[in-house]
Amino acid sequence: MTATGATGLGDAPGGSTRSRRQRYERRQRLRSVGIAAASTVLVVTAVVVFVPKLDGWESVRRSFFDADAFRNVFPELLAPFWYDVQIFLWCAPLIVALGLLVAIARNLRTPALYPVRLAAIVFTDVVRGIPVILWITLLGFGVPGMLQTREWYGGFIIWGSVALVVTYSAYTAEVFRSGIESVHESQRAASRSLGLTSAQTMRTVVLPQAMRRVVPPSMNLLVSLQKDVALISILGPVEALRRAGIENARTFNFTPYVAAAVLFLCVSIPLTRITDHLLARDRRRMSATAVT
Amino acid sequence: MLTLEQVVKDFGTNRVLDHVDLDVGGGEVVALIGASGSGKSTLLRCINLLEPIDDGRILLDGVDVSVPGLDPDPVRRRIGMVFQSFNLFPHLSVVDNVALGPRKVLGRSRRDARAGAVALLERFSLAEKAQDYPDRLSGGQQQRVAIARSLAMNPDVMLLDEITSALDPELVGEVLDVVRELRRTGMTMVLATHEMSFAREISDRVCFLDAGRILESGPPAAIFGTPQEERTRQFLQRVIDAGRL
């Protein structure tokens, strides 16, 4: 919303003395809202009325949307789902940290540190070239199998999480790197001309700007991670997906999976909305010309 | 204070600075004039070591600062630079833009650096903008903040690179006023400019650059009044024809 609060020439705010432009815009707004509402009602009615009349809808409903099964299984899924959330919560900061390190490593220009840069390039290429589920199998089963220990560091979940951290940090690193490169050279010049070192320039001038720019694409990755946590179920822990699978095997009904899906949506949708909100606020704060 | 000896700068096969000699004394104001592409900006960027030179020497108080491999940061600390496009840091408020150098480079505390920044902003009538972000400011205000940011490092020399070229005409005056004030305080300055009347007014010496060489230099009255070189006369005539002098 732009500064529409400003009133026209000699115009009292509010009341019936709106300017011609304001009256026009108001009419347009009402019209758009009306059309949107009518069309939505039409489509929703069509879906609600006609879909149940389709042949086979009854079996779809029984298999996927069984209300009783949903009510029974939903509370059962909460604790396993909390497990998913926990894995997500400890993985996310590690991914951001490792991704940032790799991104900075790829931007190193010091010849002596070339091996570090090379390692970062190989890391992103190799890691991104292999499916997530393969990493989870490889590290999640492989490393505990090799270590053969009852200590905490021999756990399946630890190594499953490591697999997630490794794969996602490679993707995140690429996003961060593009953000770093998008900060204009003149910003570095201004910073260096003040006498800041290249490390100080990176930390105080480049990264803060780059980070703001990469928030939307990184949020995509975060939402994606929040779902891929469920892949850890192949390692055996009873998290939401596995718990739903157990119910499914017991009742031959797929509603538990739908219930698990609803749980995942409950986290991922607010996550996206919160980011959008934070970004918009940041933009408004820094820019006089923000159109949101 | 600042001496350039036979400075050469090539971009690929293109010679941008061709054996430039320049001597700037303490408190002196030198204006670089010349057509676009004559090497004014490159000269300033070389002095600030943002561009390495290919031959010659740059001396700051008699010390060669153009030695390859020399740490440029202590040198840049002593040389302030203001850019045509302001280059303020958009993610920092005005006061933090100005305080950044003193905090990070001079190691001042956050409070000290901010106090110093506020004092500078007050001096340039920008005190009420201290908490705003650069994008909320007019071009003229942004450029004045950029000058304050550079001045906060207490430099020995200021390099001003066409600092009014990106401004709307009605905003040029407020920025030039700041430069006039700097001159009154005895700041040593080298400025590249297209504002000929300003160059004439403010400088002790004017250098006319053409194809990477200082073709002619002298007091403003001489350069603008009785230019010796044909190229200088042609350039000034074009400026006059354009109504800029």
Side-chain angles (χ1 to χ4, degrees):
Chain A
M1 170 130 168
T2 49
T4 47
T7 50
L9 290 169
D11 218 347
S16 58
T17 52
R18 291 194 188 86
S19 72
R20 203 159 61 133
R21 160 110 308 217
Q22 282 170 325
R23 282 199 303 275
Y24 170 76
E25 281 176 357
R26 192 180 139 82
R27 238 180 4 253
Q28 287 294 311
R29 232 177 3 253
L30 287 175
R31 205 172 116 92
S32 317
V33 172
I35 292 174
S39 120
T40 309
V41 167
L42 210 66
V43 170
V44 170
T45 317
V47 170
V48 170
V49 171
F50 292 110
V51 168
K53 291 198 194 309
L54 293 172
D55 282 346
W57 164 248
E58 191 46 37
S59 52
V60 169
R61 198 194 59 78
R62 261 202 315 276
S63 285
F64 293 98
F65 304 106
D66 186 323
D68 285 335
F70 191 93
R71 262 197 300 279
N72 289 335
V73 80
F74 197 78
E76 300 286 308
L77 286 179
L78 287 176
F81 182 67
W82 174 235
Y83 203 23
D84 282 298
V85 174
Q86 278 176 299
I87 295 175
F88 168 73
L89 286 179
W90 76 57
C91 283
L94 291 175
I95 287 165
V96 171
L98 186 59
L100 192 56
L101 278 179
V102 174
I104 292 172
R106 280 202 74 159
N107 268 278
L108 290 174
R109 290 288 176 269
T110 321
L113 296 176
Y114 184 74
V116 179
R117 191 175 164 207
L118 188 67
I121 294 171
V122 171
F123 176 80
T124 44
D125 282 358
V126 170
V127 168
R128 289 188 305 159
I130 298 173
V132 185
I133 193 139
L134 188 46
W135 275 112
I136 290 177
T137 315
L138 212 57
L139 293 177
F141 283 127
V143 178
M146 181 187 76
L147 293 174
Q148 295 286 349
T149 171
R150 292 211 167 272
E151 296 292 326
W152 64 270
Y153 56 82
F156 293 107
I157 307 308
I158 298 289
W159 289 98
S161 305
V162 169
L164 282 176
V165 170
V166 165
T167 41
Y168 271 85
S169 62
Y171 288 101
T172 314
E174 283 304 282
V175 171
F176 286 174
R177 187 169 70 102
S178 67
I180 289 170
E181 283 170 2
S182 77
V183 176
H184 198 265
E185 196 52 41
S186 63
Q187 288 286 311
R188 286 171 214 258
S191 171
R192 298 306 301 273
S193 78
L194 285 174
L196 272 74
T197 64
S198 65
Q200 286 174 324
T201 299
M202 179 56 95
R203 213 167 47 238
T204 58
V205 173
V206 177
L207 280 183
Q209 296 185 55
M211 284 304 143
R212 283 180 174 80
R213 289 179 202 180
V214 301
V215 167
S218 333
M219 279 315 282
N220 271 334
L221 286 174
L222 217 55
V223 169
S224 167
L225 166 71
Q226 194 257 329
K227 298 168 302 172
D228 277 357
V229 164
L231 291 174
I232 286 193
S233 67
I234 63 161
L235 300 175
V238 182
E239 47 70 68
L241 176 58
R242 191 158 191 90
R243 187 75 188 78
I246 292 167
E247 280 304 309
N248 165 256
R250 204 167 57 81
T251 61
F252 301 111
N253 190 288
F254 287 86
T255 306
Y257 285 126
V258 174
V262 168
L263 279 172
F264 279 101
L265 284 178
C266 286
V267 173
S268 54
I269 291 178
L271 206 59
T272 353
R273 290 293 163 271
I274 289 168
T275 332
D276 286 352
H277 170 74
L278 291 179
L279 274 177
R281 198 185 61 179
D282 202 41
R283 244 193 336 263
R284 270 199 304 277
R285 198 167 55 110
M286 292 205 302
S287 169
T289 50
V291 177
T292 52
Chain B
M1 161 159 280
L2 177 71
T3 308
L4 277 69
E5 290 175 355
Q6 297 288 301
V7 169
V8 172
K9 174 70 189 173
D10 296 322
F11 285 133
T13 56
N14 189 11
R15 179 144 293 186
V16 194
L17 295 177
D18 190 0
H19 298 94
V20 171
D21 286 306
L22 182 67
D23 197 44
V24 184
E28 198 181 7
V29 177
V30 174
L32 308 174
I33 62 168
S36 298
S38 58
K40 305 186 296 289
S41 289
T42 308
L43 186 60
L44 295 181
R45 290 176 67 87
C46 285
I47 295 174
N48 202 17
L49 310 185
L50 285 172
E51 300 282 356
I53 59 174
D54 293 300
D55 202 4
R57 300 203 301 165
I58 298 172
L59 306 165
L60 193 60
D61 282 335
V63 179
D64 187 352
V65 296
S66 56
V67 183
L70 180 107
D71 181 8
D73 299 325
V75 181
R76 294 192 181 123
R77 203 169 304 174
R78 300 177 51 197
I79 304 178
M81 180 128 179
V82 184
F83 300 86
Q84 180 176 352
S85 49
F86 329 139
N87 301 5
L88 292 177
F89 306 127
H91 62 296
L92 297 178
S93 65
V94 163
V95 64
D96 285 334
N97 261 277
V98 180
L100 184 70
R103 271 182 62 204
K104 296 290 167 187
V105 181
L106 304 180
R108 299 252 189 81
S109 72
R110 190 189 194 90
R111 180 186 299 189
D112 267 12
R114 282 196 162 183
V118 168
L120 266 175
L121 291 170
E122 271 168 9
R123 183 171 147 200
F124 295 156
S125 327
L126 288 161
E128 76 275 22
K129 300 288 178 192
Q131 301 306 326
D132 283 348
Y133 284 82
D135 199 53
R136 302 224 175 216
L137 273 54
S138 74
Q141 289 168 336
Q142 288 192 49
Q143 194 58 294
R144 278 148 61 203
V145 173
I147 295 172
R149 176 177 69 177
S150 173
L151 209 57
M153 293 296 293
N154 214 354
D156 299 330
V157 189
M158 293 264 283
L159 309 176
L160 311 179
D161 187 6
E162 297 189 18
I163 59 170
T164 57
S165 297
L167 296 176
D168 291 338
E170 79 273 18
L171 301 176
V172 169
E174 60 186 73
V175 172
L176 295 185
D177 280 342
V178 170
V179 182
R180 287 187 187 100
E181 204 223 299
L182 288 184
R183 189 196 154 81
R184 274 199 299 279
T185 61
M187 175 61 72
T188 310
M189 288 186 278
V190 183
L191 51 116
T193 185
H194 286 299
E195 303 279 338
M196 294 305 151
S197 47
F198 181 66
R200 181 154 67 179
E201 168 206 328
I202 200 155
S203 62
D204 301 303
R205 188 146 47 100
V206 176
C207 298
F208 173 68
L209 268 79
D210 183 66
R213 283 172 303 139
I214 295 184
L215 211 57
E216 189 168 0
S217 79
I223 299 290
F224 290 107
T226 52
Q228 301 301 307
E229 296 284 337
E230 180 56 29
R231 300 297 296 265
T232 318
R233 279 198 289 273
Q234 284 172 357
F235 173 74
L236 290 172
Q237 191 56 51
R238 281 204 302 277
V239 174
I240 290 166
D241 290 346
R244 300 294 288 269
L245 186 66

